[in-house]
Amino acid sequence: MHSKDTRARGISVKAKRRIFIYGFLAWPILHFLVFWVGMNIGTFADSFFAYTNSGLRNFVGWENYAEAFRILFGLKEAGIMNHYALLNSLSLIPLSLFINLPLTVIFAYAIYKKVAGHAFFRITLFLPSVISSVILCLVFRMALDNSSGIFTMFLKLIGLGGDGSQADTGIIPVGGYLGNENTVWPTILVFSVWTGINGNLIYFSSAMARMPQGIFESAEIDGASQLKQFVSICVPLIWPTITTISITLVAAVFGWMMPSLLLTDGSDRASTIGLMITVGAKNDSKNTVINALGVIVAVFGSAVILSFRYLMGKITEEVEY
Amino acid sequence: MKRKFSVADRIFRAVCFAVMMIFAISYIFLLVWMLFGSFRSVSAFSQEPFNFFDISFKAIAKNYTTAFSYKVGGHTAMPQMVLNSIIYVVGTVIISVTVPAISGYIVAKYKFALKGAITGLAVVTLVVPTIGSVTMTYRFMETLHLLNTFWGVFLLSAGGFGFSFLLFRNFFAAIPWEYAEAAFIDGAGDLKVFVKIMFPQATPIFVSLGIMSFIGCWNDYYTPYLYLNDFPTVAYGLKDIHERYNASMPYVFAAMVFSTGVVLGLYVAFSKVIMESMSAGGLKG
């Protein structure tokens, strides 16, 4: 009798637990199926159709893909739908990985090693994550303004900004740094470095806070410099965090668009994949060439990110501590 | 006892200090320029953009009144934009923190058939760039009449397997399970253990992710730009105010100072909690 009760109670507890688990996971799974799986399958399916003005859907085979490749490789251009989008987006990968990421890790390490003013830096270097990107973009734009921008005024002050006439602009390009097609993208890259020391600082700082202090003390006794400790101890210990953050950085490149939109109001020369797709979707949500572009980006982007993830895993093994 | 650094260490620390200082000063200069700019008259600012001392109460009143009375899109003034921001931010923060917290907790603490698959899905959502599906999502929202509604953006933010999921999963995985087991022996159910024992321990990460999410949503331009055009938020309205008052920057600065002040105050107040709670969870893919 007792054992029967226990079994009955045991089954009941198990069933209740299953209801608890799947009951609470039902919504996230449903949301994922609708907004991730459903939307991506829909995007793929629609990429083989075109909509007429009256809203009818016609099968067009691979034509949208052909059109998307013509745009990506510069055989056809229409405003921000141009080949610069792919080039610009791809140029953000080395910028993120070889400038912004190392700077963020080194800054986090310097704060961890308590350089002078570390408490001050911990707060101020996080500011680009707190200040709206709209504000950062607009203020940067003002700083480069041809007549009253601080940067252009500084160049004029030191004699590099020309005499103010149209004939002599010094090293300031005609139209200004954001208005000239040759300088607009490099200027946006500079902006990206300026605002690139972002919220990731917090993740690296917290990863460093968990490192065992004893290893550093031993290294110091052995005479290892702080730079040597950084390269030989710190980086291997926080490698999983570096891997995860760098993957999110590479993935973010394909949706990156805000500075292009806000600094240049969507200049053709500052186009990115994200800008092309988002503005394209907003202006005409039935333009299925954008769906084809989206599918190409998803396939190509996933391949880039997975290869990168594989490489990062090969560089060093995870250290347990 | 004061520590002595080697020459190599001193050079390394000095270089780090110098570079960090350049970045820090540029951010602080931006804030100071914005703040003092919002205290100056339009004419004074046009003549000398970098004179910080000719502030006047008359100019302050004029700048802030103009910024607060300008109607974005011809229909929404700043008080309404603040209200729109609050509705958007509060709803999105509650949903976007709670849903991944629950899924993160279940995946971290229970064994079940889909456990491995769900963790894999969370990583996949980070790895595959799905920017291309924005067209389909936009059309889907339009078809369901959810475009330009707060319910629509709340629905979009209610996913459970993103970046926050990984943070919560790691955080809950690090919390000992002994208290829960003791509660189970005393007859508590899974829901009771979840609400009464595990969630209170996760308060710091809830607060920090909530604050980070608040800041992100308050500053978000992308979502209102795409899905909430009829209900402009403060961040969305700033661009419009800048376009209208491009030649009268003190008005724009006044709006910027207000927008930044809200999140800056929140960040300064909670920065310690944010740092400490992130240290407890950690980030691994």
Side-chain angles (χ1 to χ4, degrees):
Chain A
M1 188 72 186
H2 180 261
S3 79
K4 258 187 178 177
D5 276 357
T6 313
R7 201 188 306 162
R9 196 165 162 263
I11 292 166
S12 162
V13 168
K14 224 175 177 180
K16 276 184 187 170
R17 178 156 293 174
R18 204 168 289 162
I19 291 168
F20 171 77
I21 292 172
Y22 289 106
F24 274 106
L25 285 180
W27 171 254
I29 291 172
L30 179 69
H31 190 278
F32 176 78
L33 290 175
V34 173
F35 284 97
W36 204 90
V37 179
M39 291 305 123
N40 283 305
I41 290 176
T43 301
F44 179 68
D46 237 20
S47 67
F48 296 101
F49 291 87
Y51 287 86
T52 61
N53 289 338
S54 53
L56 286 172
R57 208 167 76 136
N58 295 325
F59 182 75
V60 292
W62 295 97
E63 181 46 37
N64 286 333
Y65 286 89
E67 184 76 351
F69 279 113
R70 280 194 282 271
I71 292 167
L72 290 175
F73 292 110
L75 299 170
K76 189 175 178 182
E77 292 188 353
I80 55 167
M81 306 276 275
N82 60 49
H83 73 288
Y84 291 115
L86 181 65
L87 293 175
N88 289 344
S89 292
L90 290 180
S91 71
L92 289 166
I93 295 179
L95 183 94
S96 300
L97 294 179
F98 302 121
I99 297 177
N100 288 350
L101 184 73
L103 273 179
T104 314
V105 178
I106 291 171
F107 287 179
Y109 178 71
I111 291 169
Y112 172 75
K113 282 289 182 186
K114 294 187 167 58
V115 293
H118 60 94
F120 163 77
F121 288 131
R122 198 158 137 144
I123 301 276
T124 47
L125 292 179
F126 193 70
L127 282 176
S129 299
V130 178
I131 302 169
S132 162
S133 57
V134 179
I135 293 176
L136 290 169
C137 288
L138 295 180
V139 174
F140 189 79
R141 201 170 156 165
M142 287 175 217
L144 296 180
D145 185 89
N146 261 359
S147 56
S148 61
I150 184 172
F151 186 68
T152 42
M153 279 170 75
F154 173 72
L155 289 180
K156 284 173 187 169
L157 191 76
I158 60 171
L160 293 174
D163 60 9
S165 68
Q166 283 202 333
D168 180 14
T169 58
I171 63 164
I172 302 170
V174 177
Y177 285 95
L178 287 167
N180 186 294
E181 64 169 25
N182 295 320
T183 54
V184 60
W185 186 248
T187 308
I188 289 177
L189 293 182
V190 171
F191 172 83
S192 305
V193 173
W194 181 55
T195 55
I197 314 300
N198 52 25
N200 294 330
L201 189 73
I202 222 167
Y203 297 118
F204 290 124
S205 293
S206 62
M208 287 175 193
R210 291 194 303 276
M211 295 186 301
Q213 192 58 38
I215 305 176
F216 289 96
E217 284 165 6
S218 307
E220 264 173 39
I221 291 166
D222 291 344
S225 69
Q226 291 193 342
L227 183 61
K228 175 87 178 157
Q229 289 172 41
F230 172 70
V231 175
S232 307
I233 303 172
C234 179
V235 170
L237 286 178
I238 64 160
W239 194 251
T241 306
I242 292 177
T243 303
T244 308
I245 296 289
S246 48
I247 289 167
T248 62
L249 287 174
V250 175
V253 154
F254 296 98
W256 194 96
M257 58 163 275
M258 291 304 292
S260 285
L261 181 69
L262 296 171
L263 287 172
T264 70
D265 294 324
S267 151
D268 298 353
R269 188 59 185 80
S271 185
T272 63
I273 297 279
L275 185 77
M276 192 161 71
I277 290 175
T278 307
V279 175
K282 192 173 160 62
N283 292 345
D284 180 10
S285 65
K286 288 188 174 169
N287 179 356
T288 45
V289 174
I290 293 170
N291 292 43
L293 275 167
V295 174
I296 294 166
V297 169
V299 173
F300 174 69
S302 305
V304 170
I305 295 162
L306 287 172
S307 315
F308 175 73
R309 192 169 185 239
Y310 174 78
L311 275 175
M312 291 293 279
K314 284 278 168 195
I315 291 172
T316 180
E317 280 185 23
E318 191 173 323
V319 183
E320 290 293 337
Y321 57 93
Chain B
M1 197 178 75
K2 202 167 178 185
R3 243 186 90 190
K4 279 190 175 174
F5 294 108
S6 66
V7 176
D9 282 354
R10 262 184 267 163
I11 293 171
F12 175 70
R13 293 171 76 88
V15 171
C16 287
F17 176 84
V19 180
M20 288 199 291
M21 192 51 97
I22 291 169
F23 276 90
I25 286 175
S26 71
Y27 304 144
I28 290 171
F29 177 81
L30 178 156
L31 291 174
V32 171
W33 190 42
M34 240 166 58
L35 182 68
F36 282 86
S38 76
F39 295 161
R40 303 176 62 206
S41 68
V42 172
S43 56
F45 184 86
S46 328
Q47 282 161 19
E48 288 181 278
F50 301 103
N51 179 347
F52 289 166
F53 301 105
D54 58 347
I55 58 177
S56 78
F57 287 108
K58 202 177 155 193
I60 294 171
K62 170 80 176 156
N63 297 342
Y64 283 85
T65 310
T66 308
F68 271 72
S69 57
Y70 173 70
K71 289 185 175 172
V72 170
H75 50 74
T76 310
M78 186 62 89
Q80 183 61 45
M81 283 195 285
V82 173
L83 186 66
N84 291 344
S85 286
I86 290 172
I87 297 171
Y88 168 56
V89 169
V90 171
T92 307
V93 168
I94 291 173
I95 293 168
S96 68
V97 174
T98 310
V99 178
I102 295 169
S103 47
Y105 168 74
I106 291 173
V107 171
K109 291 299 185 193
Y110 290 93
K111 282 182 183 160
F112 57 100
L114 295 176
K115 187 179 169 115
I118 286 176
T119 310
L121 286 182
V123 176
V124 166
T125 59
L126 292 178
V127 167
V128 180
T130 55
I131 179 79
S133 66
V134 71
T135 318
M136 188 52 70
T137 309
Y138 189 87
R139 220 181 310 153
F140 181 71
M141 301 286 281
E142 206 172 21
T143 310
L144 295 181
H145 302 288
L146 287 169
L147 209 60
N148 274 316
T149 68
F150 286 106
W151 293 115
V153 290
F154 295 159
L155 182 66
L156 283 174
S157 68
F161 302 131
F163 197 69
S164 304
F165 163 82
L166 289 176
L167 283 173
F168 274 112
R169 189 201 61 167
N170 292 351
F171 183 87
F172 282 118
I175 293 181
W177 193 230
E178 282 78 18
Y179 287 123
E181 279 172 349
F184 285 134
I185 291 167
D186 290 344
D190 292 288
L191 187 61
K192 197 170 180 180
V193 167
F194 173 58
V195 175
K196 299 266 184 188
I197 298 173
M198 301 308 285
F199 256 43
Q201 295 186 70
T203 308
I205 195 167
F206 258 97
V207 172
S208 61
L209 274 180
I211 302 290
M212 298 297 289
S213 177
F214 185 102
I215 293 169
C217 289
W218 181 268
N219 290 335
D220 183 20
Y221 180 85
Y222 183 86
T223 310
Y225 168 78
L226 260 183
Y227 302 110
L228 266 183
N229 278 195
D230 292 347
F231 299 94
T233 57
V234 176
Y236 183 79
L238 281 176
K239 173 86 172 18
D240 210 61
I241 293 174
H242 176 257
E243 273 165 20
R244 168 67 183 79
Y245 294 115
N246 198 8
S248 312
M249 285 315 296
Y251 302 153
V252 184
F253 282 144
M256 286 177 171
V257 166
F258 171 74
S259 175
T260 308
V262 173
V263 283
L264 208 57
L266 208 62
Y267 171 64
V268 171
F270 289 96
S271 62
K272 205 176 167 199
V273 180
I274 293 170
M275 287 304 295
E276 283 171 1
S277 61
M278 290 295 178
S279 302
L283 189 70
K284 284 183 187 182

